[in-house]
Amino acid sequence: MPTPSMSYISISPYTCNTQILYNKLCRPCCASKMHNISSFKFDFARPWSHGMWRSLSDCASTRNHLLHRFHINASSDEDFKSSRNIAISLFKRYRNVIDRGGGENLKEFINAGVNAYALGCTDEGLRKELINLKESGTEIEGLQIYGGGTSVKFKILYEEVRECILWLSIVFITILCTPQPTIVRWSSTPPVSDDILQQWKGFCAIIANAYYMRGMAWMPVKTLQLEQMAVMGSAEEPSLVASRMRLVFSTLEVVSPQWPRV
């Protein structure tokens, strides 16, 4: 049985659009030691953005295209016209998953996260927006209940901000694990902070490897707990690890579907 240190796909924090590269860890000391997985490669040696200096009208066109492509249920285009609005939209969808369960609700969160990635948002930038909302005492109006009805207003809690942004970071890192063509990002700024990338890149890469190489849609929780132990020194509860795994698999199914939709 291979040791946990041999099961990573390396991810550079400064690159995007990928083929697959197999490596132990993304560290300068081993950056040149690349190992192929059969004939399938991830290539993380490309720049983040293909067209980050395009016009604002082009950016608006891209936003509208993404809303249509990923079927994002935005109450209006205003949800995606500023980082503050994007943060609110993501947080609403996070709360919707917590309050009403996953399935389509989780897919809506992922779709909004993909849109945020493409528009050049960062996890830290959106975290600051939510913290500012929290500290100002702003109440957020929840998503409209299907079939009509009144949506509920709620205040933001610090622990909810932390978990919501972690979900978003996992979505962003998962996008980095997808082979091209992937989502084009409209910014040269890395989407994920270095510390979060270091903690979660191996977790997401192991799942992406299982998805692309073995056609898996689930994998043993224990494998991922071992990864967490190796990187963070401790592992989360099995149910929480399973929910993180489902987030990664669901993101892969959204941005890089491998099977016909039924």
Side-chain angles (χ1 to χ4, degrees):
M1 179 178 177
T3 61
S5 64
M6 292 298 292
S7 58
Y8 295 103
I9 300 172
S10 67
I11 302 177
S12 167
Y14 302 107
T15 51
C16 183
N17 295 326
T18 61
Q19 290 178 341
I20 292 181
L21 219 226
Y22 193 58
N23 205 349
K24 291 183 179 180
L25 283 173
C26 186
R27 296 171 178 163
C29 63
C30 61
S32 62
K33 300 177 182 178
M34 304 173 183
H35 304 278
N36 292 338
I37 307 175
S38 184
S39 59
F40 198 56
K41 300 178 180 178
F42 290 159
D43 178 9
F44 294 98
R46 298 175 184 270
W48 283 112
S49 173
H50 291 293
M52 59 187 171
W53 303 117
R54 295 175 186 175
S55 69
L56 291 176
S57 60
D58 284 346
C59 189
S61 175
T62 296
R63 179 179 62 245
N64 294 334
H65 169 73
L66 288 164
L67 292 177
H68 174 75
R69 175 183 173 187
F70 294 106
H71 310 290
I72 297 174
N73 183 24
S75 57
S76 76
D77 193 41
E78 293 296 321
D79 284 357
F80 299 94
K81 282 190 173 178
S82 72
S83 59
R84 182 179 186 273
N85 289 1
I86 291 171
I88 291 172
S89 178
L90 282 162
F91 189 77
K92 286 180 179 181
R93 285 162 174 78
Y94 164 77
R95 279 296 301 263
N96 208 36
V97 176
I98 299 301
D99 295 340
R100 303 176 190 173
E104 288 301 311
N105 295 326
L106 179 60
K107 185 177 177 182
E108 278 219 358
F109 175 87
I110 292 168
N111 288 339
V114 171
N115 185 70
Y117 175 92
L119 293 176
C121 296
T122 67
D123 60 351
E124 194 57 36
L126 295 176
R127 183 201 312 278
K128 290 177 180 177
E129 294 286 0
L130 291 177
I131 291 296
N132 289 340
L133 289 166
K134 157 65 182 171
E135 293 179 348
S136 68
T138 303
E139 289 189 336
I140 304 298
E141 185 173 354
L143 292 176
Q144 194 74 22
I145 299 172
Y146 293 115
T150 304
S151 57
V152 178
K153 288 187 176 182
F154 47 82
K155 290 188 176 181
I156 299 173
L157 303 177
Y158 284 119
E159 52 268 31
E160 290 178 327
V161 172
R162 183 174 59 251
E163 189 68 9
C164 175
I165 296 301
L166 177 57
W167 285 24
L168 181 67
S169 299
I170 290 173
V171 169
F172 284 178
I173 295 170
T174 302
I175 292 172
L176 302 182
C177 293
T178 60
Q180 59 180 347
T182 55
I183 308 302
V184 176
R185 180 168 167 79
W186 291 66
S187 172
S188 61
T189 305
V192 184
S193 56
D194 287 344
D195 57 337
I196 296 298
L197 183 65
Q198 290 297 323
Q199 289 178 26
W200 291 97
K201 64 181 181 180
F203 185 97
C204 296
I206 289 170
I207 297 170
N209 184 54
Y211 180 79
Y212 289 112
M213 296 301 298
R214 302 180 184 179
M216 296 169 66
W218 197 257
M219 64 184 302
V221 169
K222 188 66 176 177
T223 301
L224 298 173
Q225 286 182 306
L226 289 173
E227 157 66 19
Q228 289 184 326
M229 286 290 295
V231 175
M232 295 182 276
S234 62
E236 295 177 307
E237 292 295 322
S239 60
L240 191 52
V241 175
S243 71
R244 311 261 194 242
M245 172 169 52
R246 172 47 58 203
L247 177 60
V248 176
F249 273 121
S250 296
T251 300
L252 291 169
E253 289 165 6
V254 167
V255 300
S256 185
Q258 299 296 293
W259 305 281
R261 298 189 182 279
V262 294

